[in-house]
Amino acid sequence: MSDDLKRKRSGGRTGNARRAGGQAISQMSWRIPVNPDRPIEPMGPEGVEAIHKGAMRILKDIGIRFLNDEALGLFAQAGCRVEGQTVRMDEDFVMEMVARAPAEFTITPRNPDRILPMGGKHILFGNVSSPPNYWDLERGKVSGFMDGFRDFIKLTQYFNCIHFAGGYPVEPIDIHPSVRHLDCVYEKLVLTDKVVHAYSLGKERVEDAMEMVRIAGGLSHEEFRATPRMFTNINSVSPLKHDFPMIDGALRLARAGQAVIVTPFTLAGAMAPVTMAGAVTLSIAEALAAIALIQYVAPGAPVMIGTFTSNVDMKSGAPAFGTPEYMRATQMTGQMARFYGLPLRSSGVCAANIPDGQAMWETSNSLWAAVQSGTNLVYHAAGWLEGGLIASPEKFIMDCEVLQMIQRYMEPEVWATTPEDIAIGTIAEVGPDGHYFGCQHTQDRYTTAFYQPFVSDWRNFEAWQIDGAVWTPERAHRIFRAIMAEFEAPPMDPGVHEELSAFVARRKAEGGAPTDF
Amino acid sequence: MSDDLKRKRSGGRTGNARRAGGQAISQMSWRIPVNPDRPIEPMGPEGVEAIHKGAMRILKDIGIRFLNDEALGLFAQAGCRVEGQTVRMDEDFVMEMVARAPAEFTITPRNPDRILPMGGKHILFGNVSSPPNYWDLERGKVSGFMDGFRDFIKLTQYFNCIHFAGGYPVEPIDIHPSVRHLDCVYEKLVLTDKVVHAYSLGKERVEDAMEMVRIAGGLSHEEFRATPRMFTNINSVSPLKHDFPMIDGALRLARAGQAVIVTPFTLAGAMAPVTMAGAVTLSIAEALAAIALIQYVAPGAPVMIGTFTSNVDMKSGAPAFGTPEYMRATQMTGQMARFYGLPLRSSGVCAANIPDGQAMWETSNSLWAAVQSGTNLVYHAAGWLEGGLIASPEKFIMDCEVLQMIQRYMEPEVWATTPEDIAIGTIAEVGPDGHYFGCQHTQDRYTTAFYQPFVSDWRNFEAWQIDGAVWTPERAHRIFRAIMAEFEAPPMDPGVHEELSAFVARRKAEGGAPTDF
């Protein structure tokens, strides 16, 4: 354990007075990264056209099944062919609807300084969402629980490289499903001041979440609806289906002016063709069908297209993530998103069960694919393990190191070529016999010249060994504990807090949400 | 441990007969990857021009010190200004010499099927080179030794994703330095049939290595000189110096028609300016000075420009690798290499001390930077730890998984968009109620559709746990042992083998190389 960390941890043990002055790590400041790289585009224009035409054929000839009567009625009203639950739509309709979607929009959370620009060259990161299980070095794998949920939300708030609070970082199964959304959204809104997500899991949950976001922001109903304040993410039920609650939630948010991400879950070889182009084509068709519906109902509603195309392990059928095929599918979907003028969501994902080397090469692959694809919003960017079945605080900490490096990678000063950067005068001054440690050019810049890690250990082997030979996951675990010891929730107006608590209490008294759908 | 591995290892224990039939892992076949991606280019043309002009000013006004009298004489003969050991040269001379270098060339090892194309869109991977220490899970960190050296050479031969045998994968300090090169080059030539490297560490070592490569290839002296059969890598002594043996070796290889990589070791903030542009400019100047000399002596000699620009940890002065700054410097050097029409070498590197998560995010960063920069030859692509002070077999195995994924990432079939890939007929056939596991389109493709890992464990947590909950480094260690148990050296003509052994014996009897330079 490093001296710094020892100091902080003993601070944590001796009480609040010292803890308040402590800092578990030195991290990057909050920033909105701008991705300066030209996207990697594996397909030529003919490939983009082939996938587009394929998606249009699926929508026109095969159709998408909507398990939602309201959606069926709306499509019929729009002139689409509705047979049973299957909707078929023409390219003209789809493209007219998609053209209504904004290329860029913002989402403003309760702290307006945390406003997020969605689209363009921006890339934003969020916490792992939805694992049923929790794993850490102390506990091993356990079912999700509310204290663990809370810890992840604290990490989400703590790290400046995490821009938004996605879905539940772990499912707290110790809270009854009828009121779980009330407790979870409450914790998210109190423990963070960042943009939050709400699950589309039925009318009551969606309406409760919107009302809670409105209250937490101290907003009137009109103010809430005037600009996006939150978002949901819906998945299609691949192949070729959208289910009731997801579409219901998407419509509710869109009508309330809130943002919707549509992310088909097209695992090649399982719910989608074994070929990446086939899986991407299916994904695009499913996503555009829902986006067309949203834009029909709420023209100009803020939407994003999501990709979750990966492949399965053909030996076991298990999903694989961060594979070469995953990377190319993400890049291909990026090309399609730009073709349609839609912001793109992808993910930071892996198949590994524990935060080891495999976890990090798979996650690095998926995060670099996000960068290369021009992704605007990276879901699950920190904390994901076991194909999304486990959330891990150590993995969260480790991923944040990678995310900070990606943020630094995007800062133009790194590759600046002004005369002061080229530094011919300094090269002449140092000459062939000197070194650059002490020269003025270095002294003027050394505190900010390079990325400073917080979990990576750059000491040599002997220094690392004398200090306990601590491998990365254990270092991450210690940092996790230190952050928990010093965490302070962001300020919230007492009146707003009271109103929020009262709303939760009332809705709990009313029984929360039905749990039988 | 997986059943497969258990079977193989027990095969290994019961003797050669079963071992011969065994296979430690199922790996990708040998291939020469072609990088289809447009390089990431952080700088605009004005940035490239600024670095070029900066490098030219260094060469013209500041000069490079050559600690090699022959080089000084050659530069003087070429009309450059030589004062003491400092050489100053004009842009016209440098650019005329650099223009002589081929943009692409080949190196042919003793097995001509392993011929390597250098330059263009090709990207090739080699083993870790030059660490003084060895680390594995059983031994911990120990000084390099010949058995460890041999094991790494076996891994180098075993993995099809390793295209060449670079420098000594670990320094065998149990072999006397006067004869170490004889034993090491012998082992490389016998245990592999891939392209080999020779250190530029004095006349005797260089001449011995060239002679041994010639013998191993069954070549006449004329045949050896007719086309590149091997290569050396030389480093400048940054800032602004080239030392005697490196330049001596480079000249010897170039005159013999063999390939030379010139790789300045410009750590920003230590031996180079703290700014990436400054460090790259210095690196380019140092590299071009040596390349100009080589091309003056041997017009058209096969050369590559290498980058080893990274930054130091400003807290400790220790080198850092795989940082955001490292990635951009590699990409910037790629832009310069294309500007000069030279093939590019970069590296697979990290600062981590053990093969954990940090090791893999740093290595992934450096390997993806190699891909993004248009690198043609990746040194240290497998096995590197502790900033190059440790070679680890577990890390070697883990890196090979990443390298195989990069190779798969580059195969155009992954993003192909033929009608068979888009698969509209299959999407219609499966419809909204089916799945794709069983359909003909999947059945026809599933064995080759996706990358198949050999060390990644894609099973779910429970299956992984029941099987011993083995983390990646231990899985890699077991694979390492299994490969060692089944390794077979590539065939070598007995007459050739005898001649090679006789040469080594004679040169040892003569005392090998002097050890006092």
Side-chain angles (χ1 to χ4, degrees):
Chain A
M1 195 191 305
S2 76
D3 284 341
D4 273 1
L5 193 48
K6 268 184 195 145
R7 205 156 47 235
K8 300 318 167 204
R9 292 198 70 198
S10 83
R13 280 192 292 272
T14 53
N16 280 324
R18 284 189 58 193
R19 205 160 58 214
Q23 235 187 319
I25 60 163
S26 175
Q27 65 168 318
M28 271 185 168
S29 58
W30 168 269
R31 68 198 61 194
I32 305 294
V34 175
N35 184 349
D37 289 351
R38 185 202 299 261
I40 298 288
E41 304 203 317
M43 300 187 292
E46 74 297 340
V48 172
E49 183 71 11
I51 288 187
H52 168 64
K53 289 298 175 197
M56 293 302 124
R57 275 194 62 195
I58 291 170
L59 293 173
K60 178 163 173 283
D61 297 339
I62 304 174
I64 304 287
R65 189 180 291 176
F66 279 80
L67 310 179
N68 182 301
D69 287 342
E70 185 189 6
L72 297 171
L74 288 162
F75 277 119
Q77 181 188 311
C80 299
R81 283 167 296 145
V82 178
E83 292 172 47
Q85 294 179 309
T86 299
V87 181
R88 292 183 177 82
M89 51 193 106
D90 292 339
E91 177 168 349
D92 286 350
F93 170 73
V94 175
M95 294 303 278
E96 187 191 331
M97 293 301 110
V98 168
R100 293 179 173 181
E104 301 188 36
F105 58 91
T106 61
I107 308 183
T108 309
R110 72 172 173 93
N111 177 355
D113 293 343
R114 305 283 201 183
I115 186 172
L116 298 182
M118 300 284 173
K121 292 298 230 171
H122 303 107
I123 179 168
L124 303 165
F125 306 116
N127 58 282
V128 61
S129 301
S130 311
N133 301 302
Y134 174 106
W135 182 96
D136 75 17
L137 272 175
E138 277 179 37
R139 290 182 174 90
K141 182 177 178 178
V142 295
S143 291
F145 57 108
M146 181 45 94
D147 282 347
F149 174 100
R150 225 175 262 120
D151 285 353
F152 282 112
I153 295 296
K154 290 176 182 173
L155 290 174
T156 298
Q157 175 66 13
Y158 181 86
F159 277 100
N160 293 321
C161 63
I162 301 296
H163 299 96
F164 62 90
Y168 306 166
V170 71
E171 190 77 23
I173 64 156
D174 49 346
I175 308 293
H176 192 275
S178 61
V179 298
R180 190 180 296 162
H181 69 288
L182 295 166
D183 284 344
C184 288
V185 177
Y186 172 85
E187 296 290 348
K188 285 208 275 190
L189 289 170
V190 170
L191 293 176
T192 87
D193 62 359
K194 299 180 180 177
V195 165
V196 300
H197 151 282
Y199 285 104
S200 286
L201 287 174
K203 169 189 166 191
E204 292 79 5
R205 290 184 178 83
V206 169
E207 297 292 345
D208 285 347
M210 287 200 286
E211 183 63 4
M212 290 171 75
V213 170
R214 185 192 68 76
I215 293 170
L219 305 168
S220 69
H221 290 276
E222 291 65 34
E223 286 167 336
F224 176 77
R225 299 173 70 98
T227 186
R229 304 284 182 178
M230 62 184 295
F231 73 100
T232 192
N233 179 79
I234 69 167
N235 304 116
S236 50
V237 185
S238 304
L240 300 170
K241 291 185 294 295
H242 282 284
D243 73 5
F244 175 79
M246 290 284 189
I247 290 296
D248 180 72
L251 291 177
R252 286 179 192 280
L253 260 76
R255 283 169 168 146
Q258 306 306 310
V260 179
I261 308 173
V262 184
T263 312
F265 184 17
T266 37
L267 274 184
M271 301 91 96
V274 75
T275 46
M276 288 302 113
V280 170
T281 301
L282 180 62
S283 175
I284 294 292
E286 292 175 0
L288 292 184
I291 288 171
L293 175 66
I294 291 166
Q295 295 300 329
Y296 177 71
V297 170
V303 294
M304 300 184 100
I305 191 163
T307 172
F308 212 83
T309 299
S310 192
N311 59 287
V312 295
D313 176 6
M314 292 311 290
K315 288 181 192 160
S316 65
F321 292 101
T323 62
E325 292 82 11
Y326 173 94
M327 296 183 77
R328 289 301 189 186
T330 305
Q331 295 166 355
M332 292 162 81
T333 308
Q335 294 187 259
M336 301 313 299
R338 288 185 290 284
F339 178 80
Y340 296 115
L342 296 169
L344 176 67
R345 168 239 149 140
S346 70
S347 308
V349 284
C350 64
N353 293 310
I354 23 78
D356 62 356
Q358 178 189 335
M360 296 321 298
W361 72 58
E362 290 177 339
T363 302
S364 290
N365 282 358
S366 63
L367 290 174
W368 283 115
V371 172
Q372 297 160 344
S373 63
T375 287
N376 302 108
L377 182 148
V378 185
Y379 225 57
H380 311 298
W384 161 296
L385 284 176
E386 202 201 356
L389 296 177
I390 290 177
S392 156
E394 293 91 349
K395 177 70 165 25
F396 197 113
I397 304 281
M398 292 161 68
D399 288 340
C400 283
E401 184 88 285
V402 178
L403 297 178
Q404 285 203 160
M405 286 194 285
I406 290 173
Q407 293 196 152
R408 171 63 178 164
Y409 168 88
M410 292 181 176
E411 290 177 356
E413 68 184 60
V414 179
W415 59 89
T417 51
T418 68
E420 291 69 38
D421 293 298
I422 305 276
I424 296 297
T426 301
I427 291 170
E429 171 199 326
V430 172
D433 295 315
H435 61 72
Y436 289 78
F437 281 115
C439 69
Q440 196 59 44
H441 185 263
T442 300
Q443 290 298 312
D444 291 344
R445 290 166 178 79
Y446 82 93
T447 55
T448 56
F450 309 134
Y451 174 70
Q452 294 282 340
F454 65 89
V455 61
S456 289
D457 192 326
W458 286 353
R459 294 173 301 174
N460 68 20
F461 189 92
E462 283 64 36
W464 168 82
Q465 194 171 39
I466 287 168
D467 207 21
V470 182
W471 289 45
T472 301
E474 194 177 337
R475 291 202 303 275
H477 186 82
R478 293 172 184 185
I479 291 170
F480 163 54
R481 289 292 165 212
I483 291 171
M484 292 303 101
E486 77 173 34
F487 180 81
E488 287 177 19
M492 179 178 253
D493 177 83
V496 166
H497 198 160
E498 195 176 328
E499 190 182 348
L500 192 63
S501 301
F503 177 85
V504 169
R506 176 171 67 79
R507 289 289 297 121
K508 283 188 174 180
E510 291 168 5
T515 56
D516 61 342
F517 72 85
Chain B
M1 197 190 304
S2 76
D3 283 348
D4 273 1
L5 193 49
K6 268 184 196 148
R7 203 156 50 235
K8 300 318 168 205
R9 292 199 70 200
S10 84
R13 281 193 290 271
T14 53
N16 279 326
R18 283 190 61 194
R19 206 160 57 215
Q23 237 188 317
I25 59 164
S26 175
Q27 65 169 318
M28 270 185 168
S29 59
W30 168 270
R31 69 198 61 194
I32 304 294
V34 175
N35 184 349
D37 289 351
R38 184 202 301 260
I40 298 288
E41 304 204 317
M43 300 186 292
E46 74 297 341
V48 173
E49 183 71 10
I51 288 187
H52 168 63
K53 289 298 175 196
M56 293 301 124
R57 276 195 60 197
I58 292 171
L59 293 173
K60 178 164 172 281
D61 298 338
I62 304 174
I64 304 288
R65 190 180 289 177
F66 279 80
L67 310 178
N68 183 302
D69 287 343
E70 183 188 8
L72 296 172
L74 288 163
F75 276 119
Q77 181 188 313
C80 299
R81 283 168 295 146
V82 178
E83 293 172 48
Q85 293 180 310
T86 300
V87 180
R88 292 183 177 82
M89 51 194 105
D90 292 339
E91 176 167 351
D92 286 352
F93 170 75
V94 176
M95 294 304 278
E96 187 191 330
M97 292 302 110
V98 168
R100 293 178 173 181
E104 301 188 37
F105 58 91
T106 62
I107 308 184
T108 309
R110 73 172 174 94
N111 177 354
D113 292 343
R114 305 283 201 183
I115 186 173
L116 298 182
M118 300 285 173
K121 293 297 231 172
H122 304 292
I123 179 168
L124 303 166
F125 306 116
N127 59 281
V128 61
S129 301
S130 310
N133 300 301
Y134 175 106
W135 181 96
D136 75 17
L137 271 175
E138 277 180 38
R139 289 181 174 91
K141 183 177 178 179
V142 295
S143 292
F145 56 108
M146 182 44 97
D147 281 347
F149 174 99
R150 223 175 262 121
D151 285 354
F152 281 113
I153 295 296
K154 290 175 182 172
L155 290 175
T156 297
Q157 174 67 12
Y158 182 87
F159 277 100
N160 294 321
C161 63
I162 301 295
H163 299 96
F164 61 89
Y168 305 167
V170 71
E171 191 76 23
I173 64 156
D174 49 346
I175 308 293
H176 192 276
S178 61
V179 298
R180 191 180 294 163
H181 69 289
L182 295 166
D183 283 344
C184 287
V185 177
Y186 172 84
E187 297 290 348
K188 284 209 275 191
L189 289 170
V190 170
L191 292 176
T192 86
D193 61 0
K194 299 180 179 178
V195 165
V196 300
H197 152 283
Y199 285 105
S200 286
L201 287 174
K203 169 189 167 189
E204 292 79 5
R205 289 185 178 84
V206 170
E207 297 292 344
D208 284 348
M210 286 199 286
E211 183 63 4
M212 290 171 75
V213 169
R214 185 192 67 77
I215 294 169
L219 304 168
S220 68
H221 290 276
E222 291 65 35
E223 286 168 335
F224 176 76
R225 299 172 70 98
T227 185
R229 303 284 181 178
M230 60 185 296
F231 72 101
T232 191
N233 179 80
I234 68 167
N235 303 117
S236 50
V237 185
S238 304
L240 299 170
K241 290 184 294 297
H242 282 283
D243 74 3
F244 175 80
M246 290 284 187
I247 290 297
D248 181 73
L251 291 177
R252 287 179 191 279
L253 260 77
R255 283 169 168 147
Q258 305 306 310
V260 179
I261 308 173
V262 184
T263 312
F265 185 16
T266 37
L267 274 184
M271 301 92 96
V274 74
T275 46
M276 288 301 114
V280 170
T281 302
L282 179 62
S283 175
I284 293 293
E286 292 175 359
L288 293 184
I291 289 171
L293 175 67
I294 291 166
Q295 295 301 329
Y296 177 71
V297 170
V303 294
M304 300 184 101
I305 191 164
T307 173
F308 213 81
T309 300
S310 192
N311 59 287
V312 294
D313 177 5
M314 292 311 290
K315 288 181 193 160
S316 64
F321 293 102
T323 62
E325 292 82 13
Y326 173 94
M327 296 183 77
R328 289 301 190 186
T330 304
Q331 294 167 355
M332 292 162 80
T333 308
Q335 293 187 261
M336 301 312 302
R338 287 186 290 284
F339 178 80
Y340 297 115
L342 296 168
L344 176 68
R345 168 238 148 140
S346 70
S347 308
V349 283
C350 64
N353 293 309
I354 21 77
D356 62 356
Q358 178 189 336
M360 297 320 297
W361 71 61
E362 291 176 338
T363 302
S364 290
N365 282 358
S366 63
L367 290 174
W368 284 114
V371 172
Q372 296 161 345
S373 64
T375 287
N376 302 108
L377 181 147
V378 185
Y379 225 58
H380 311 298
W384 161 297
L385 284 176
E386 202 202 355
L389 296 178
I390 290 177
S392 154
E394 293 90 350
K395 178 71 164 26
F396 197 112
I397 304 281
M398 292 161 68
D399 288 339
C400 284
E401 183 88 285
V402 178
L403 297 178
Q404 284 203 159
M405 286 194 286
I406 289 172
Q407 293 195 152
R408 171 62 178 165
Y409 169 88
M410 292 180 176
E411 290 177 355
E413 68 183 61
V414 179
W415 60 90
T417 52
T418 68
E420 290 71 36
D421 293 297
I422 305 276
I424 296 296
T426 301
I427 292 171
E429 170 198 328
V430 172
D433 295 315
H435 61 73
Y436 290 78
F437 281 115
C439 68
Q440 195 58 46
H441 185 261
T442 300
Q443 290 299 312
D444 291 345
R445 290 165 179 80
Y446 82 94
T447 55
T448 56
F450 309 132
Y451 174 70
Q452 293 282 340
F454 65 89
V455 60
S456 289
D457 192 326
W458 286 353
R459 295 173 301 174
N460 68 19
F461 188 93
E462 284 63 36
W464 169 82
Q465 193 170 39
I466 287 168
D467 207 19
V470 182
W471 288 45
T472 300
E474 193 176 337
R475 292 201 303 275
H477 186 82
R478 293 173 183 184
I479 292 170
F480 163 54
R481 289 290 164 214
I483 292 172
M484 291 304 100
E486 78 172 34
F487 181 81
E488 287 179 19
M492 179 178 252
D493 176 84
V496 166
H497 197 161
E498 197 175 328
E499 189 182 348
L500 191 63
S501 301
F503 177 84
V504 169
R506 175 171 68 77
R507 289 288 297 119
K508 283 188 175 181
E510 291 169 3
T515 56
D516 61 342
F517 72 85

